[in-house]
Amino acid sequence: MSSQTYEKPLTANDTGETGGHQAGIHIPKSQTDLIALLPFLDPAQKNPDAWLEMTDETGVTWRFRYIYYNNRLHDEGGTRDEYRITHMTKFFRAVGATEGDVLVLTGSPGSLTYSVSVRKDESPQGEEAGAPVRVRLKGWRRVH
């Protein structure tokens, strides 16, 4: 099976730079290929989850929690219906991830074997007056 790679530019909230508590990296339900790459989470179960083991570029294996917060489907007045990958803060700190860096996840469908890395932001920090503004998309995209 061929591998698939997905990228997501990190926000300050993703990396913990804002000091706020975030419930992990959001995976929009529209990212059906990425969701299919990850373990199946049964929507009939309330808040199903799975632990992912992802290996970084140095060979260190990290454990992240993949969860489908779905109380909207199970509780009267429930508001959440979203996929997230949590427990990433320690990894982000270890690799020095900051806002603008890119999270890269790679895996092969059905294998449950994944790699993770962070590509550093290489954009110029100070934009010159009159220079075109660089627009950054904050969501996931499939690279290959």
Side-chain angles (χ1 to χ4, degrees):
M1 260 178 223
S2 64
S3 66
Q4 298 176 1
T5 300
Y6 295 86
E7 296 183 342
K8 181 198 182 295
L10 295 169
T11 65
N13 204 37
D14 290 336
T15 62
E17 292 173 77
T18 62
H21 173 71
Q22 168 162 303
I25 304 295
H26 180 250
I27 301 175
K29 290 170 75 176
S30 62
Q31 289 291 329
T32 55
D33 286 349
L34 176 53
I35 291 168
L37 177 68
L38 299 171
F40 174 74
L41 299 179
D42 186 357
Q45 180 184 353
K46 183 177 177 182
N47 298 335
D49 69 334
W51 285 94
L52 306 173
E53 290 192 352
M54 296 190 178
T55 305
D56 69 17
E57 296 165 314
T58 67
V60 174
T61 299
W62 298 87
R63 285 179 44 92
F64 306 127
R65 184 177 181 219
Y66 172 50
I67 185 165
Y68 177 28
Y69 288 111
N70 63 5
N71 70 0
R72 186 177 192 178
L73 307 177
H74 295 274
D75 298 337
E76 186 175 327
T79 59
R80 296 183 79 181
D81 185 16
E82 62 193 24
Y83 292 91
R84 291 198 176 260
I85 299 176
T86 65
H87 290 75
M88 297 191 83
T89 305
K90 190 174 181 180
F91 167 71
F92 288 146
R93 287 187 181 139
V95 299
T98 58
E99 178 181 15
D101 292 346
V102 178
L103 175 64
V104 181
L105 300 180
T106 302
S108 296
S111 74
L112 302 181
T113 301
Y114 309 98
S115 65
V116 61
S117 63
V118 170
R119 187 175 66 242
K120 299 305 282 179
D121 180 12
E122 296 175 6
S123 66
Q125 296 302 312
E127 299 291 337
E128 293 181 31
V133 175
R134 183 174 176 196
V135 176
R136 291 181 207 226
L137 300 176
K138 297 292 184 192
W140 289 95
R141 72 182 186 99
R142 182 171 175 181
V143 180
H144 71 278

